[in-house]
Amino acid sequence: MAEQKKTHRVLIGKPGLDGHDRGAKFIARALRDAGFEVVYTGIRRTPDEIAAAAVQEDVSAVGLSLLSGAHLSLFPAVVRALKSAGAGDIPVLGGGIIPDEDIVLLKEAGINAVFTPGTPVAQIIAAFRTACETQEARRN
Amino acid sequence: MMSETILRGLRERDPRGIARAISLVEENDPMADEILSSLDDSLVDQAMVLGITGPPGAGKSTLTDRIISRYRSLGKRVGVIAVDPSSPISGGAILGDRIRMMGHALDKDVVVRSMATRGRLGGLCAAAGAAVRILAGSGCSVIIIETVGVGQSEMDIIRLADITALVLAPGLGDDIQAMKAGLLEVADILIVNKADCAGAETLAMDMESIAREGGKEKDRVNVCMTVASEGRGTDELLAAIETVDISHRETGERRTRREKAYDLEVLDWALEMIKPSIIEKIEKWDHVRKGAPRLQAARLLGQE
Ligand SMILES: Nc1nc2c(ncn2[C@@H]2O[C@H](COP(=O)(O)OP(=O)(O)O)[C@@H](O)[C@H]2O)c(=O)[nH]1
Ligand SMILES: [Mg+2]
């Protein structure tokens, strides 16, 4: 059988209470159009639910979208939830209206990449691709 | 992860081990055969595989969520394989069935796995069949396959099921008309979902008459009305599923279907295996590209 190029699986989730999923859906579609398989979990998920879904779906990366401003608590909470689900190796990427000073804090808290409304889509896709490739190489 | 770790994970029902195992079979990893050979066949034999198919938006995922809850209340461990089509252009996919089932996300005895068709025509059957085995081998006694009932490859997956339910809903129009022809061939149970919406009664009557038309040789097909979003009709649906299951076991239909499904998976693999050698033959073949291609193929295979 011809060796197929590996299809990257990612999960896009929206933790927290805000109900605006335009950003999440936009990224999900952009990733699909770039050839990713995107598991979308919908709005208002707890970090534990997102982590459990990420494990079951065996994704190579988790993307979070938030507009509520609660990123400093919720993004690291998902990282912790993944750790306690035995999946701390899965990289977490996050996007939202995030001030520069918070980006440093989020990276320190283990977020793989942070996107803001100004980040070009191509850059977001490239970040997901790199995160997936790194994770898949480490996992195997 | 080494296959030992994965096999232990499977035995211990570790969510990560189960998930990795499904990925490995999906990707045709060399470890896949070892994993599939190590499964407890009696668990695979005993599990009930329920196919849920129908047009997009009919309420399949919402209904699946309700069915999961019912089987969980009976103490059964439930696996779900939710299939969505890959984009033919990018090869990517958005797998959104899970949204409706997130209420079970923290239940360790509900294993949901989304799967894209990946343009592998027959191969999807093999991938989904392998996933069914892994879920059964990890203790799921009910396994639901949700698939959009439009494409041929999706219909093929349904052949993996012991029992198939076709979900329809009022207001989906032409989809239903187009599907009617093949309806009874695949469906053991017809579900009219969105019974709270206008047109449900008419649709149900339509379905009843179709069910009667085909009712001569086959067992009479059940028609159930549900409101999945409110959980109405789920008890009746479960009763219908049980009736079909009992009848299929008594008549030997269940065994027949299992055997056919197994052979179909073997056929998929066999075709995959001979394909490269045929492609190679054609590439190396010094032939005149004229005349009937079918005759050329026969010549190529030495069948002429
Ligand atoms: N009114 C009504 N809406 C429903 C019912 N069941 C599902 N829905 C809605 O129909 C839409 C599609 O449901 P979904 O389960 O995703 O359909 P699928 O594409 O067949 O899996 C969702 O917005 C559901 O909330 C029902 O019984 N009545
Ligand atoms: Mg669905």
Side-chain angles (χ1 to χ4, degrees):
Chain A
M1 207 174 313
E3 194 57 47
Q4 289 171 320
K5 218 174 111 238
K6 168 118 182 41
T7 308
H8 302 306
R9 287 171 68 86
V10 299
L11 179 141
I12 298 294
K14 263 193 73 63
L17 297 178
D18 85 274
H20 302 283
D21 62 353
R22 275 185 49 193
K25 283 185 171 163
F26 175 77
I27 289 305
R29 278 193 289 266
L31 286 166
R32 175 201 57 197
D33 293 343
F36 289 73
E37 286 177 4
V38 185
V39 178
Y40 182 54
T41 58
I43 56 173
R44 299 198 181 98
R45 299 306 171 197
T46 68
D48 284 336
E49 288 170 349
I50 290 174
V55 167
Q56 288 194 344
E57 298 287 358
D58 193 36
V59 293
S60 301
V62 170
L64 303 174
S65 161
L66 257 191
L67 294 176
S68 66
H71 48 266
L72 279 184
S73 65
L74 284 172
F75 287 2
V78 172
V79 173
R80 281 196 303 276
L82 279 166
K83 274 202 184 99
S84 53
D89 53 318
I90 300 178
V92 176
L93 298 82
I97 304 165
I98 299 168
D100 285 349
E101 58 268 30
D102 288 0
I103 296 182
V104 185
L105 296 172
L106 288 172
K107 294 231 166 131
E108 277 169 10
I111 310 299
N112 179 287
V114 179
F115 314 115
T116 61
T119 314
V121 183
Q123 192 179 320
I124 298 177
I125 290 167
F128 271 96
R129 185 163 282 133
T130 307
C132 287
E133 281 166 359
T134 311
Q135 168 66 3
E136 284 150 19
R138 179 171 38 198
R139 204 175 49 193
N140 291 330
Chain B
M1 234 192 279
M2 299 294 291
S3 66
E4 253 321 299
T5 328
I6 288 171
L7 292 179
R8 182 158 17 90
L10 269 180
R11 276 194 298 275
E12 289 168 2
R13 300 186 178 183
D14 164 53
R16 195 106 199 252
I18 297 168
R20 284 302 298 142
I22 295 178
S23 297
L24 291 171
V25 297
E26 214 187 351
E27 288 154 17
N28 293 335
D29 187 276
M31 270 191 267
D33 294 335
E34 194 186 336
I35 292 170
L36 290 173
S37 306
S38 76
L39 297 173
D40 183 343
D41 280 323
S42 68
L43 288 176
V44 179
D45 284 345
Q46 284 157 28
M48 181 181 80
V49 184
L50 178 66
I52 300 211
T53 189
K60 299 180 294 297
S61 301
T62 314
L63 198 59
T64 299
D65 177 64
R66 298 292 179 174
I67 298 172
I68 298 171
S69 300
R70 296 296 300 125
Y71 282 118
R72 286 298 296 130
S73 72
L74 298 173
K76 291 181 187 288
R77 183 172 153 89
V78 183
V80 178
I81 300 164
V83 183
D84 276 312
S86 299
S87 152
I89 300 158
S90 72
I94 292 184
L95 310 169
D97 296 318
R98 219 192 159 84
I99 298 174
R100 319 261 178 242
M101 306 172 202
M102 283 303 280
H104 302 287
L106 298 181
D107 184 345
K108 288 253 187 308
D109 287 315
V110 177
V111 187
V112 179
R113 181 60 176 240
S114 311
M115 198 175 262
T117 52
R118 288 195 186 174
R120 40 185 173 196
L121 262 159
L124 176 58
C125 220
V132 165
R133 284 206 180 79
I134 287 171
L135 289 175
S138 75
C140 295
S141 55
V142 174
I143 295 155
I144 302 170
I145 307 176
E146 176 189 336
T147 173
V148 179
V150 283
Q152 185 57 47
S153 66
E154 288 92 339
M155 288 308 239
D156 276 350
I157 319 177
I158 281 306
R159 292 201 245 165
L160 295 168
D162 298 317
I163 296 170
T164 296
L166 180 84
V167 185
L168 300 169
L172 295 173
D174 295 343
D175 266 340
I176 293 169
Q177 291 305 325
M179 289 177 83
K180 266 186 188 171
L183 282 188
L184 288 168
E185 275 159 47
V186 295
D188 300 299
I189 299 169
L190 296 174
I191 301 171
V192 176
N193 187 42
K194 306 198 184 183
D196 56 325
C197 295
E201 286 292 339
T202 319
L203 180 58
M205 272 152 53
D206 255 18
M207 292 302 120
E208 287 279 2
S209 70
I210 291 177
R212 267 195 303 272
E213 278 168 32
K216 265 187 189 159
E217 296 142 50
K218 283 184 70 160
D219 293 330
R220 202 176 170 293
V221 175
N222 293 278
V223 178
C224 292
M225 291 187 83
T226 56
V227 184
S229 49
E230 294 165 20
R232 278 199 275 148
T234 341
D235 285 346
E236 290 81 353
L237 174 59
L238 249 80
I241 292 170
E242 204 189 337
T243 308
V244 175
D245 191 38
I246 291 171
S247 140
H248 280 186
R249 281 170 196 273
E250 280 171 358
T251 59
E253 175 72 12
R254 182 186 148 94
R255 172 144 305 278
T256 311
R257 287 192 190 186
R258 283 280 174 124
E259 287 171 359
K260 270 194 195 150
Y262 190 88
D263 290 352
L264 203 68
E265 282 184 77
V266 174
L267 174 66
D268 275 351
W269 280 115
L271 292 175
E272 289 281 359
M273 284 170 190
I274 59 169
K275 206 170 164 187
S277 76
I278 298 178
I279 290 172
E280 204 187 312
K281 261 191 192 171
I282 294 177
E283 278 167 358
K284 287 184 182 161
W285 196 25
D286 185 19
H287 61 292
V288 185
R289 292 183 179 79
K290 277 192 183 120
R294 200 184 68 83
L295 290 177
Q296 287 282 23
R299 236 167 261 150
L300 179 81
L301 297 174
Q303 290 177 354
E304 190 213 41

Short mmCIF file of all heavy atoms in Angstrom, two decimals, chain B residues 80-121:
data_model
loop_
_atom_site.label_atom_id
_atom_site.label_comp_id
_atom_site.label_asym_id
_atom_site.label_seq_id
_atom_site.Cartn_x
_atom_site.Cartn_y
_atom_site.Cartn_z
N VAL B 80 -18.87 4.37 20.90
CA VAL B 80 -19.48 5.04 19.75
C VAL B 80 -18.42 5.33 18.71
O VAL B 80 -17.33 5.81 19.05
CB VAL B 80 -20.14 6.38 20.17
CG1 VAL B 80 -20.72 7.10 18.95
CG2 VAL B 80 -21.21 6.17 21.22
N ILE B 81 -18.70 5.00 17.46
CA ILE B 81 -17.84 5.41 16.36
C ILE B 81 -18.67 6.34 15.50
O ILE B 81 -19.67 5.94 14.93
CB ILE B 81 -17.35 4.20 15.54
CG1 ILE B 81 -16.57 3.26 16.45
CG2 ILE B 81 -16.48 4.66 14.38
CD1 ILE B 81 -16.40 1.89 15.86
N ALA B 82 -18.27 7.61 15.47
CA ALA B 82 -19.04 8.61 14.73
C ALA B 82 -18.28 8.98 13.46
O ALA B 82 -17.21 9.56 13.53
CB ALA B 82 -19.27 9.84 15.60
N VAL B 83 -18.84 8.61 12.34
CA VAL B 83 -18.14 8.81 11.07
C VAL B 83 -18.67 10.05 10.35
O VAL B 83 -19.88 10.25 10.23
CB VAL B 83 -18.33 7.58 10.15
CG1 VAL B 83 -17.56 7.75 8.85
CG2 VAL B 83 -17.89 6.31 10.86
N ASP B 84 -17.77 10.89 9.91
CA ASP B 84 -18.13 12.06 9.12
C ASP B 84 -17.28 12.07 7.85
O ASP B 84 -16.16 11.57 7.86
CB ASP B 84 -17.87 13.35 9.90
CG ASP B 84 -19.02 13.71 10.82
OD1 ASP B 84 -20.17 13.69 10.35
OD2 ASP B 84 -18.77 14.01 12.00
N PRO B 85 -17.83 12.65 6.77
CA PRO B 85 -17.06 12.63 5.52
C PRO B 85 -15.85 13.56 5.55
O PRO B 85 -15.89 14.61 6.15
CB PRO B 85 -18.08 13.11 4.48
CG PRO B 85 -19.12 13.85 5.25
CD PRO B 85 -19.15 13.25 6.63
N SER B 86 -14.77 13.11 4.90
CA SER B 86 -13.61 13.98 4.70
C SER B 86 -13.91 14.90 3.52
O SER B 86 -14.63 14.53 2.61
CB SER B 86 -12.38 13.15 4.36
OG SER B 86 -12.07 12.28 5.42
N SER B 87 -13.32 16.08 3.55
CA SER B 87 -13.46 16.97 2.40
C SER B 87 -12.67 16.39 1.23
O SER B 87 -11.49 16.08 1.37
CB SER B 87 -12.91 18.36 2.77
OG SER B 87 -12.44 19.00 1.61
N PRO B 88 -13.34 16.24 0.08
CA PRO B 88 -12.63 15.64 -1.06
C PRO B 88 -11.52 16.57 -1.57
O PRO B 88 -10.59 16.11 -2.23
CB PRO B 88 -13.73 15.46 -2.11
CG PRO B 88 -14.83 16.38 -1.71
CD PRO B 88 -14.73 16.57 -0.23
N ILE B 89 -11.60 17.84 -1.24
CA ILE B 89 -10.60 18.79 -1.74
C ILE B 89 -9.37 18.80 -0.86
O ILE B 89 -8.26 18.56 -1.31
CB ILE B 89 -11.21 20.20 -1.85
CG1 ILE B 89 -12.40 20.17 -2.81
CG2 ILE B 89 -10.16 21.21 -2.32
CD1 ILE B 89 -13.38 21.29 -2.62
N SER B 90 -9.54 19.06 0.43
CA SER B 90 -8.37 19.20 1.31
C SER B 90 -8.00 17.89 1.99
O SER B 90 -6.89 17.75 2.49
CB SER B 90 -8.66 20.25 2.38
OG SER B 90 -9.58 19.76 3.32
N GLY B 91 -8.93 16.94 2.04
CA GLY B 91 -8.66 15.71 2.79
C GLY B 91 -8.92 15.89 4.28
O GLY B 91 -8.90 14.93 5.04
N GLY B 92 -9.18 17.12 4.70
CA GLY B 92 -9.47 17.37 6.11
C GLY B 92 -10.93 17.10 6.43
O GLY B 92 -11.71 16.73 5.56
N ALA B 93 -11.29 17.25 7.69
CA ALA B 93 -12.68 17.00 8.09
C ALA B 93 -12.99 17.74 9.38
O ALA B 93 -12.09 17.95 10.21
CB ALA B 93 -12.92 15.51 8.29
N ILE B 94 -14.25 18.13 9.52
CA ILE B 94 -14.70 18.61 10.83
C ILE B 94 -15.58 17.53 11.42
O ILE B 94 -16.56 17.09 10.80
CB ILE B 94 -15.45 19.95 10.73
CG1 ILE B 94 -14.45 21.04 10.32
CG2 ILE B 94 -16.10 20.30 12.08
CD1 ILE B 94 -15.02 22.43 10.27
N LEU B 95 -15.19 17.03 12.59
CA LEU B 95 -15.89 15.93 13.22
C LEU B 95 -16.67 16.51 14.40
O LEU B 95 -16.09 16.79 15.45
CB LEU B 95 -14.87 14.87 13.65
CG LEU B 95 -13.87 14.45 12.55
CD1 LEU B 95 -12.75 13.60 13.12
CD2 LEU B 95 -14.59 13.71 11.43
N GLY B 96 -17.96 16.73 14.19
CA GLY B 96 -18.72 17.47 15.19
C GLY B 96 -19.79 16.68 15.92
O GLY B 96 -20.56 17.23 16.69
N ASP B 97 -19.85 15.37 15.67
CA ASP B 97 -20.91 14.58 16.31
C ASP B 97 -20.81 14.59 17.82
O ASP B 97 -21.78 14.49 18.55
CB ASP B 97 -20.85 13.13 15.82
CG ASP B 97 -21.14 13.03 14.33
OD1 ASP B 97 -22.06 13.73 13.86
OD2 ASP B 97 -20.43 12.28 13.65
N ARG B 98 -19.59 14.71 18.27
CA ARG B 98 -19.30 14.65 19.69
C ARG B 98 -19.98 15.75 20.49
O ARG B 98 -20.27 15.57 21.68
CB ARG B 98 -17.79 14.80 19.85
CG ARG B 98 -17.23 13.96 20.88
CD ARG B 98 -15.82 14.37 21.18
NE ARG B 98 -15.54 13.86 22.47
CZ ARG B 98 -15.13 12.61 22.69
NH1 ARG B 98 -14.88 11.81 21.71
NH2 ARG B 98 -14.96 12.20 23.91
N ILE B 99 -20.21 16.88 19.83
CA ILE B 99 -20.84 18.02 20.52
C ILE B 99 -22.09 17.56 21.27
O ILE B 99 -22.32 17.95 22.41
CB ILE B 99 -21.25 19.11 19.50
CG1 ILE B 99 -20.01 19.63 18.79
CG2 ILE B 99 -22.01 20.24 20.18
CD1 ILE B 99 -20.32 20.61 17.66
N ARG B 100 -22.90 16.72 20.61
CA ARG B 100 -24.18 16.30 21.21
C ARG B 100 -24.00 15.25 22.31
O ARG B 100 -24.96 14.87 22.95
CB ARG B 100 -25.10 15.72 20.14
CG ARG B 100 -25.08 16.45 18.84
CD ARG B 100 -26.27 17.39 18.71
NE ARG B 100 -26.19 18.10 17.44
CZ ARG B 100 -26.07 19.42 17.34
NH1 ARG B 100 -26.07 20.17 18.41
NH2 ARG B 100 -25.98 19.99 16.16
N MET B 101 -22.79 14.73 22.42
CA MET B 101 -22.59 13.64 23.38
C MET B 101 -21.68 14.04 24.53
O MET B 101 -21.23 13.20 25.30
CB MET B 101 -21.98 12.43 22.67
CG MET B 101 -22.79 11.99 21.45
SD MET B 101 -21.91 10.71 20.53
CE MET B 101 -22.69 10.89 18.92
N MET B 102 -21.39 15.35 24.65
CA MET B 102 -20.41 15.79 25.64
C MET B 102 -20.87 15.56 27.07
O MET B 102 -20.06 15.56 27.99
CB MET B 102 -20.04 17.26 25.41
CG MET B 102 -19.07 17.49 24.25
SD MET B 102 -17.50 16.57 24.36
CE MET B 102 -16.58 17.61 25.51
N GLY B 103 -22.17 15.36 27.25
CA GLY B 103 -22.68 15.06 28.59
C GLY B 103 -22.07 13.78 29.16
O GLY B 103 -22.07 13.57 30.37
N HIS B 104 -21.53 12.93 28.27
CA HIS B 104 -20.93 11.67 28.74
C HIS B 104 -19.41 11.75 28.81
O HIS B 104 -18.75 10.75 29.05
CB HIS B 104 -21.33 10.53 27.80
CG HIS B 104 -22.80 10.34 27.68
ND1 HIS B 104 -23.57 9.79 28.68
CD2 HIS B 104 -23.68 10.65 26.69
CE1 HIS B 104 -24.84 9.75 28.31
NE2 HIS B 104 -24.93 10.27 27.10
N ALA B 105 -18.86 12.96 28.57
CA ALA B 105 -17.41 13.08 28.42
C ALA B 105 -16.64 12.54 29.61
O ALA B 105 -15.58 11.96 29.46
CB ALA B 105 -17.03 14.54 28.15
N LEU B 106 -17.18 12.73 30.81
CA LEU B 106 -16.44 12.31 32.00
C LEU B 106 -16.80 10.91 32.47
O LEU B 106 -16.28 10.43 33.48
CB LEU B 106 -16.65 13.33 33.13
CG LEU B 106 -16.15 14.75 32.81
CD1 LEU B 106 -16.38 15.69 33.98
CD2 LEU B 106 -14.68 14.72 32.42
N ASP B 107 -17.68 10.24 31.73
CA ASP B 107 -18.04 8.86 32.06
C ASP B 107 -17.02 7.91 31.42
O ASP B 107 -16.94 7.81 30.21
CB ASP B 107 -19.45 8.57 31.54
CG ASP B 107 -19.94 7.19 31.94
OD1 ASP B 107 -19.12 6.35 32.37
OD2 ASP B 107 -21.16 6.95 31.82
N LYS B 108 -16.26 7.22 32.26
CA LYS B 108 -15.19 6.35 31.74
C LYS B 108 -15.76 5.15 30.97
O LYS B 108 -15.02 4.48 30.24
CB LYS B 108 -14.34 5.83 32.91
CG LYS B 108 -13.43 6.89 33.53
CD LYS B 108 -11.97 6.63 33.14
CE LYS B 108 -10.99 7.55 33.84
NZ LYS B 108 -11.29 8.99 33.73
N ASP B 109 -17.04 4.88 31.14
CA ASP B 109 -17.65 3.75 30.46
C ASP B 109 -18.39 4.16 29.19
O ASP B 109 -19.24 3.41 28.68
CB ASP B 109 -18.56 2.99 31.41
CG ASP B 109 -17.74 2.19 32.41
OD1 ASP B 109 -16.76 1.54 31.99
OD2 ASP B 109 -18.04 2.25 33.62
N VAL B 110 -18.09 5.35 28.70
CA VAL B 110 -18.59 5.76 27.39
C VAL B 110 -17.38 6.18 26.57
O VAL B 110 -16.68 7.13 26.92
CB VAL B 110 -19.60 6.93 27.49
CG1 VAL B 110 -20.03 7.37 26.10
CG2 VAL B 110 -20.81 6.53 28.33
N VAL B 111 -17.10 5.43 25.52
CA VAL B 111 -15.92 5.72 24.69
C VAL B 111 -16.39 6.20 23.32
O VAL B 111 -17.00 5.45 22.56
CB VAL B 111 -15.04 4.46 24.51
CG1 VAL B 111 -13.74 4.83 23.81
CG2 VAL B 111 -14.75 3.81 25.86
N VAL B 112 -16.17 7.48 23.05
CA VAL B 112 -16.61 8.05 21.78
C VAL B 112 -15.41 8.30 20.89
O VAL B 112 -14.41 8.89 21.32
CB VAL B 112 -17.37 9.38 21.99
CG1 VAL B 112 -17.81 9.98 20.66
CG2 VAL B 112 -18.57 9.17 22.90
N ARG B 113 -15.48 7.85 19.68
CA ARG B 113 -14.38 8.07 18.75
C ARG B 113 -14.92 8.59 17.42
O ARG B 113 -15.78 7.97 16.80
CB ARG B 113 -13.64 6.75 18.52
CG ARG B 113 -12.47 6.87 17.60
CD ARG B 113 -11.43 7.85 18.13
NE ARG B 113 -10.28 7.85 17.26
CZ ARG B 113 -9.06 7.52 17.65
NH1 ARG B 113 -8.81 7.20 18.91
NH2 ARG B 113 -8.08 7.54 16.80
N SER B 114 -14.43 9.75 17.00
CA SER B 114 -14.82 10.31 15.71
C SER B 114 -13.88 9.80 14.64
O SER B 114 -12.68 9.64 14.88
CB SER B 114 -14.75 11.84 15.76
OG SER B 114 -15.41 12.33 16.90
N MET B 115 -14.41 9.55 13.46
CA MET B 115 -13.60 8.99 12.39
C MET B 115 -14.00 9.64 11.06
O MET B 115 -15.18 9.82 10.79
CB MET B 115 -13.87 7.48 12.35
CG MET B 115 -12.84 6.67 11.62
SD MET B 115 -13.18 4.90 11.76
CE MET B 115 -12.09 4.42 13.09
N ALA B 116 -13.00 10.02 10.28
CA ALA B 116 -13.30 10.63 8.97
C ALA B 116 -13.20 9.56 7.89
O ALA B 116 -12.46 8.58 8.05
CB ALA B 116 -12.32 11.76 8.69
N THR B 117 -13.95 9.74 6.82
CA THR B 117 -13.97 8.70 5.78
C THR B 117 -12.63 8.60 5.04
O THR B 117 -12.30 7.55 4.52
CB THR B 117 -15.09 8.97 4.76
OG1 THR B 117 -14.96 10.31 4.29
CG2 THR B 117 -16.46 8.79 5.37
N ARG B 118 -11.87 9.70 5.01
CA ARG B 118 -10.53 9.72 4.43
C ARG B 118 -10.46 9.18 3.01
O ARG B 118 -9.42 8.68 2.59
CB ARG B 118 -9.54 8.93 5.29
CG ARG B 118 -9.20 9.63 6.58
CD ARG B 118 -7.97 9.04 7.26
NE ARG B 118 -7.79 9.66 8.58
CZ ARG B 118 -6.88 9.26 9.45
NH1 ARG B 118 -6.08 8.27 9.16
NH2 ARG B 118 -6.76 9.87 10.61
N GLY B 119 -11.56 9.24 2.29
CA GLY B 119 -11.53 8.84 0.88
C GLY B 119 -11.12 7.41 0.63
O GLY B 119 -10.97 6.99 -0.50
N ARG B 120 -10.95 6.63 1.72
CA ARG B 120 -10.59 5.23 1.52
C ARG B 120 -11.91 4.50 1.35
O ARG B 120 -12.64 4.30 2.29
CB ARG B 120 -9.85 4.68 2.73
CG ARG B 120 -10.48 5.21 3.99
CD ARG B 120 -9.79 4.85 5.25
NE ARG B 120 -10.50 5.61 6.30
CZ ARG B 120 -10.06 5.82 7.49
NH1 ARG B 120 -8.92 5.34 7.86
NH2 ARG B 120 -10.76 6.50 8.36
N LEU B 121 -12.18 4.09 0.11
CA LEU B 121 -13.52 3.58 -0.15
C LEU B 121 -13.83 2.33 0.65
O LEU B 121 -14.59 2.37 1.59
CB LEU B 121 -13.68 3.30 -1.64
CG LEU B 121 -14.40 4.45 -2.34
CD1 LEU B 121 -14.14 4.44 -3.82
CD2 LEU B 121 -15.88 4.43 -2.04
#
